[in-house]
C-alpha cells in the first residue's frame, strides 16, 4: 500500500493524528542519531556557506537557548534553528549552501505576497532551519512559524488553503561572533532579551515538557496562511 493511499484511509477513519505522531517518532529517532554525529559539522558548514554568500546565519530558538544555557546543544533537540536578516538574503545563498553539501529540501512562504518565511536544509540527515527575519517597524524583528493544518494532510492543505501560522517577535539587535563548541558563529547581541521573549523569565530552568504549544501561547497570530515548496 502506497503512502498516499494510507494517508487517505487514515484521514477517513480518523486515525491521521495517530499516524502522524508515530511517523514523527520514527523521524525523530533517525534525526537524533544523525544529529549526535553531524550536528556541529552541519552548523559549521552552513555558517561557512552563508559567509561565502555574504549573509550571516545566527543562532535562534532552541539552538540559541542551548548555546547560552547548556553551553552546547539541548540534549533532547534533534535539529538546528538559525536565522538570517532577510535584507541580507541574495541569489547566491542557496547555491552556496548546496555546494557545501546542504540540500535545500523545503521552503515556506506567503503566497499572497511572496514573502519567504523559512528554508529547510538537510546535511547528512541533520535538518537545519533558516528562519527569515523582518523588521516590524516598531523596533522588533519577527519571523513566521508554520503550524500543521487544522484537519488536512499537508499535500491537500498545500493545494488548497495552506497552513496556519504564527509570528515570533524579538527585540531588534545587532549580531556578534561568539565561540560555540570549538567553532564560531553569530548570535544576537541581545541574547538574554531574546530568550526571555521566546521562553519566559525562567528560561535558564530546563522544561522537558516544553512543546510547540508554548510557542503558540507566546506568539502573535496575523491570519496569513503559509504554503510550502518541496525540493526533494
Amino acid at each position: 500500500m502506497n503512502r498516499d493511499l494510507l494517508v487517505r484511509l487514515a484521514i477517513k477513519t480518523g486515525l491521521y493524528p495517530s499516524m502522524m505522531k508515530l511517523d514523527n517518532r520514527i523521524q525523530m529517532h533517525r534525526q537524533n542519531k544523525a544529529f549526535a554525529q553531524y550536528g556541529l559539522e552541519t552548523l559549521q558548514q552552513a555558517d561557512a556557506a552563508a559567509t561565502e554568500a555574504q549573509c550571516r546565519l545566527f543562532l535562534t530558538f532552541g539552538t540559541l537557548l542551548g548555546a547560552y544555557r547548556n553551553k552546547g546543544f539541548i540534549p533532547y533537540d534533534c535539529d538546528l534553528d538559525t536565522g538570517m536578516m532577510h535584507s541580507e538574503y541574495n541569489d547566491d545563498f542557496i547555491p552556496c549552501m548546496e555546494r557545501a553539501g546542504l540540500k535545500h529540501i523545503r521552503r515556506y512562504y506567503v503566497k499572497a505576497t511572496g514573502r519567504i518565511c523559512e528554508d529547510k536544509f538537510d546535511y547528512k540527515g541533520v535538518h537545519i532551519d533558516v528562519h527569515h527575519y523582518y523588521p516590524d517597524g516598531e523596533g522588533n524583528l519577527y519571523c513566521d512559524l508554520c503550524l500543521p493544518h487544522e484537519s488536512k494532510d499537508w499535500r491537500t492543505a498545500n493545494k488548497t488553503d495552506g497552513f496556519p501560522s504564527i509570528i515570533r517577535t524579538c527585540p531588534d539587535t545587532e549580531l556578534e561572533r561568539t565561540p560555540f563548541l570549538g567553532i564560531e558563529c553569530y548570535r544576537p547581541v541581545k541574547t538574554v532579551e531574546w530568550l526571555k521573549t521566546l521562553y519566559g523569565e525562567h528560561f535558564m530552568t530546563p522544561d522537558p515538557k516544553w512543546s510547540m504549544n508554548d510557542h503558540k501561547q507566546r506568539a502573535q497570530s496575523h491570519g496569513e496562511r503559509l504554503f510550502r515548496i518541496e525540493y526533494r
Side-chain angles (χ1 to χ4, degrees):
M1 184 181 296
N2 65 46
R3 182 178 174 83
D4 287 344
L5 178 58
L6 186 61
V7 167
R8 288 197 295 271
L9 287 173
I11 292 173
K12 188 174 182 179
T13 58
L15 296 175
Y16 183 69
S18 299
M19 174 184 166
M20 290 309 298
K21 286 182 181 178
L22 177 60
D23 187 62
N24 287 339
R25 287 197 192 100
I26 294 171
Q27 293 297 328
M28 188 170 293
H29 177 70
R30 291 174 180 166
Q31 290 175 24
N32 276 332
K33 290 181 66 176
F35 192 86
Q37 188 170 0
Y38 299 114
L40 186 62
E41 183 180 332
T42 303
L43 184 59
Q44 188 172 24
Q45 290 293 100
D47 177 79
T51 299
E52 181 184 351
Q54 298 185 336
C55 305
R56 293 174 297 171
L57 285 188
F58 58 88
L59 307 185
T60 188
F61 293 117
T63 307
L64 178 64
L65 177 62
Y68 186 84
R69 186 184 68 194
N70 301 68
K71 310 304 179 188
F73 297 120
I74 295 175
Y76 46 85
D77 218 356
C78 62
D79 63 1
L80 293 165
D81 286 307
T82 66
M84 69 182 304
M85 306 302 180
H86 184 73
S87 58
E88 296 183 4
Y89 176 77
N90 59 69
D91 291 341
D92 292 330
F93 177 67
I94 301 298
C96 285
M97 293 285 276
E98 297 213 319
R99 281 198 298 272
L102 293 120
K103 298 178 183 177
H104 193 201
I105 60 175
R106 188 174 304 144
R107 167 170 286 179
Y108 290 97
Y109 69 104
V110 179
K111 184 181 289 187
T113 62
R115 186 175 78 246
I116 301 171
C117 302
E118 178 188 334
D119 285 304
K120 184 183 287 288
F121 298 85
D122 178 277
Y123 181 85
K124 297 182 179 180
V126 177
H127 286 180
I128 176 169
D129 297 331
V130 179
H131 300 275
H132 291 244
Y133 279 81
Y134 298 83
D136 69 354
E138 299 180 2
N140 299 304
L141 298 169
Y142 74 91
C143 71
D144 305 77
L145 298 181
C146 187
L147 303 178
H149 193 276
E150 295 86 348
S151 60
K152 301 174 182 175
D153 69 279
W154 79 262
R155 288 181 177 85
T156 303
N158 210 41
K159 292 177 181 177
T160 54
D161 58 333
F163 306 91
S165 66
I166 55 178
I167 60 173
R168 295 308 318 263
T169 303
C170 291
D172 198 357
T173 182
E174 296 295 324
L175 302 175
E176 61 182 351
R177 198 85 172 150
T178 58
F180 178 67
L181 295 177
I183 66 173
E184 284 197 347
C185 51
Y186 287 103
R187 71 174 71 173
V189 169
K190 296 180 181 179
T191 289
V192 172
E193 291 91 332
W194 271 51
L195 293 175
K196 285 181 179 179
T197 302
L198 293 171
Y199 300 107
E201 292 289 331
H202 303 291
F203 69 87
M204 288 298 289
T205 303
D207 181 6
K209 296 182 179 180
W210 186 93
S211 72
M212 190 65 184
N213 287 328
D214 294 84
H215 266 318
K216 294 178 186 178
Q217 292 170 5
R218 298 179 182 278
Q220 303 173 39
S221 176
H222 50 39
E224 290 185 308
R225 309 288 289 190
L226 302 189
F227 292 79
R228 73 195 232 188
I229 302 172
E230 293 287 320
Y231 295 102
R232 59 177 177 177

